[in-house]
Amino acid sequence: MADEYKNFINGKWVASASGKTFDDINPANTADIIGSFQDSNEQDIKQAVTAAKAAFVKWNQIPVTSRELYLYKAADVLNRRLDEVSQALTREMGKTLPESRGEAGRGVQILRYYAGEARRMCGETYPSDNAATMLYTLREPLGVVGLITPWNFPVAIPLWKLAPAITYGNTVVIRVSQDSPLTGILLGEVFEEAGLPAGVVNIITGLGRATNKALVAAEGINAISFTGSTLVGRRIYQRCGELGKKVQLEMGGHNPVVVAADADLDQAVAFTVAGAFFSTGQKCTATRRVIVQRDILAEFTEKLVAKTRDLKLGNGADADTQIGPVINQRQLDRILEGIQQGVNEGAQLICGGQRLNGDCYESGFFIQPAVFTEVTPQMSLGQEEIFGPVLGVMVFDKLDEAIEIANSVRYGLSAAIATKSIKTAQHFIKGIKAGIVHVNSQTAGAECHVPFGGMKQSSCGTREQGNAAIEFYTQLKTVYLDLPA
Ligand code: UN1
């Protein structure tokens, strides 16, 4: 029997009122059942919101220097349990162990960074029209915030939402993804061990739509921060609109790398492959298109294919694995459909794109990283996000054309250019419609102390991370302070 894990509500581990659980399986080996998790319902959400509301009253009043200490403590506990968390992450999500360690380490950094931010919950003072008036702003927390997080970064994304939320005095109810619930539960253990007051962080597991819906609609939830698919994000946006709730969404991307003829080709190939295929392409910041200047197209493509073919697929827990499985059967089917559509529309599949069977691949969701050439902006590969290891090669002659192609999608999360010319880089930085721009590095990756988010349909609301997070997790109060007559 697999272990049964409970929800973390009001500092206690409790079973769902539904009496139902669901299994979490290892995508590299579906015979490995990681555990059973609560399939939570509206009642569990209500219980969590009630706990978070009660906890808010005290949490919001303790000095920032005390809140700060809890975050440092949680960072220390996570750091000490880094191996355990990384292994759980790899086992349930599939990314390689070094990637999991990197992500868990990022989690530690996020907690440390936001610990210090508690002290920087600053307002501003203004001159007033009236000489006797002291005019200033205060920042206050929102109350209870609902967080909905995806399976692909089950440490980093929950933490980069909840760390700013609690440091600024909010309390949270977080619904972690059904595809990587164990990591979410371990985060609950980290906060428990750090001695965080009961009810400040409440963690709920559950099968998709029902728990999300209940969380968004719950009375007492004042704001929702969501990361996930565009489709679900839209639905949440609509519902938050109806209910008058503050909302922040991080959704899809269709991120380009532009390779100029003067680029260091080996460097460009290396970061294109890393951006497209690491974590099996399952990042909203992953590289989906590489737009290459015509003079170097043949040479670049040859190097790209050679490096892609060299990638070692396998169980992320094995030391020599570079690319793990995709998350589940549904995603596998979707990715294969996307690849087939690419073929049907006339793009050339020159490498990978097949499901791997047999040997160690037999009971996992493995797809060979796929490279398409002759992709045009009109094709689905040129427009639609396939959330997996699929890369389209496109061509350009003049830089403005590359920028036009890069911008020809509805998304605008991240983008990169490979060039040795500052002039080319500057022109690209100005012209590209993306929230994050890289020069000579991959489209993925996010340092925790700078804003993260996209333009156009990739994001909605204010940016996450860095000091931008304060805009979402606090509200301003403008004070006119006059002396009594
Ligand atoms: C990264 O590129 O390291 O869901 C972070 C995602 C993004 C996070 C990407 N919100 O993939």
Side-chain angles (χ1 to χ4, degrees):
M1 261 288 276
D3 289 338
E4 183 179 327
Y5 294 89
K6 307 266 171 60
N7 287 328
F8 186 56
I9 299 177
N10 207 20
K12 297 202 173 54
W13 297 97
V14 290
S16 167
S18 72
K20 289 192 226 154
T21 60
F22 65 92
D23 285 344
D24 178 26
I25 58 166
N26 181 339
N29 172 16
T30 53
D32 176 22
I33 303 194
I34 293 162
S36 67
F37 293 82
Q38 305 304 309
D39 184 12
S40 307
N41 64 15
E42 215 179 316
Q43 230 173 304
D44 306 312
I45 300 277
K46 269 196 186 140
Q47 202 189 333
V49 175
T50 305
K53 261 171 112 170
F56 174 72
V57 178
K58 279 199 200 137
W59 180 248
N60 167 41
Q61 275 167 17
I62 66 170
V64 290
T65 44
S66 306
R67 290 210 296 265
E68 170 187 82
L69 287 179
Y70 285 113
L71 275 94
Y72 279 126
K73 188 78 199 300
D76 289 346
V77 176
L78 179 58
N79 202 26
R80 187 163 44 69
R81 295 180 64 172
L82 201 88
D83 265 346
E84 177 197 355
V85 171
S86 310
Q87 271 163 26
L89 205 171
T90 289
R91 188 173 166 210
E92 68 178 350
M93 186 273 161
K95 65 175 72 168
T96 64
L97 258 183
E99 285 174 318
S100 293
R101 284 207 190 93
E103 185 185 339
R106 194 200 284 193
V108 174
Q109 287 180 14
I110 291 168
L111 287 164
R112 288 190 180 141
Y113 170 77
Y114 280 109
E117 283 304 281
R119 294 178 187 231
R120 283 180 281 273
M121 204 173 154
C122 303
E124 288 175 326
T125 59
Y126 297 81
S128 166
D129 290 352
N130 182 343
T133 303
M134 189 177 169
L135 184 55
Y136 63 99
T137 56
L138 291 171
R139 284 207 179 259
E140 293 187 355
L142 305 173
V144 185
V145 181
L147 309 176
I148 300 173
T149 56
W151 46 265
N152 63 338
F153 284 95
V155 177
I157 296 179
L159 288 181
W160 87 40
K161 292 185 193 298
L162 73 77
I166 67 175
T167 214
Y168 299 130
N170 303 279
T171 57
V172 303
V173 177
I174 174 167
R175 184 258 163 186
V176 296
S177 168
Q178 69 211 50
D179 285 305
S180 50
L182 178 57
T183 317
I185 293 302
L186 291 178
L187 292 181
E189 290 184 16
V190 165
F191 285 112
E192 184 183 33
E193 206 180 320
L196 192 75
V200 173
V201 170
N202 302 277
I203 302 175
I204 303 276
T205 57
L207 292 172
R209 219 164 153 173
T211 31
N212 285 350
K213 252 175 108 172
L215 181 59
V216 170
E219 225 186 289
I221 291 284
N222 298 335
I224 291 283
S225 178
F226 164 85
T227 298
S229 72
T230 305
L231 190 79
V232 177
R234 287 265 174 83
R235 241 185 250 141
I236 289 175
Y237 190 52
Q238 194 177 3
R239 192 73 183 118
C240 285
E242 285 162 9
L243 297 167
K245 297 189 181 188
K246 189 173 183 180
V247 63
Q248 174 185 57
L249 310 169
E250 285 301 336
M251 302 170 286
H254 203 20
N255 315 300
V257 166
V258 169
V259 185
D262 74 334
D264 181 306
L265 284 200
D266 290 326
Q267 182 190 36
V269 167
F271 75 69
T272 301
V273 167
F277 301 129
F278 286 175
S279 265
T280 326
Q282 301 173 112
K283 300 180 186 178
C284 58
T285 47
T287 304
R288 307 290 177 207
R289 300 170 291 158
V290 57
I291 311 166
V292 187
Q293 202 150 19
R294 198 175 300 276
D295 327 30
I296 52 154
L297 179 65
E299 194 186 347
F300 178 87
T301 309
E302 193 181 316
K303 282 175 185 269
L304 175 73
V305 168
K307 205 162 175 79
T308 304
R309 287 218 169 99
D310 262 1
L311 293 169
K312 170 86 180 72
L313 265 74
N315 188 323
D318 297 339
D320 57 347
T321 296
Q322 290 171 291
I323 308 288
V326 298
I327 188 72
N328 57 30
Q329 183 72 49
R330 205 173 73 154
Q331 282 301 117
L332 180 92
D333 292 343
R334 279 192 185 159
I335 295 165
L336 291 173
E337 264 167 41
I339 291 171
Q340 188 55 48
Q341 190 172 354
V343 171
N344 296 348
E345 289 177 10
Q348 298 302 310
L349 179 60
I350 57 165
C351 148
Q354 269 84 40
R355 178 173 189 179
L356 287 178
N357 293 303
D359 304 331
C360 62
Y361 303 118
E362 190 58 34
S363 50
F365 306 119
F366 291 97
I367 301 182
Q368 276 172 328
V371 177
F372 277 95
T373 56
E374 295 176 44
V375 174
T376 66
Q378 290 71 37
M379 294 177 179
S380 57
L381 284 172
Q383 291 297 322
E384 297 307 324
E385 179 183 48
I386 297 176
F387 209 70
V390 183
L391 176 68
V393 181
M394 305 171 86
V395 63
F396 76 94
D397 291 298
K398 295 231 157 40
L399 184 59
D400 281 333
E401 199 189 323
I403 295 173
E404 199 182 310
I405 295 170
N407 285 339
S408 71
V409 296
R410 63 193 166 115
Y411 298 114
L413 183 54
S414 65
I417 186 161
T419 179
K420 290 191 186 117
S421 153
I422 290 188
K423 196 172 161 201
T424 302
Q426 278 280 28
H427 194 69
F428 180 75
I429 293 165
K430 280 207 184 108
I432 191 72
K433 293 276 177 284
I436 302 157
V437 188
H438 292 260
V439 177
N440 296 320
S441 63
Q442 61 165 305
T443 56
E447 296 191 29
C448 69
H449 58 291
V450 289
F452 177 92
M455 294 183 178
K456 301 198 282 187
Q457 293 185 26
S458 286
S459 303
C460 183
T462 53
R463 293 280 185 266
E464 303 201 83
Q465 302 210 78
N467 60 8
I470 201 169
E471 300 303 334
F472 184 72
Y473 292 104
T474 68
Q475 52 196 338
L476 286 170
K477 182 178 274 177
T478 305
V479 183
Y480 295 79
L481 179 63
D482 272 282
L483 295 175

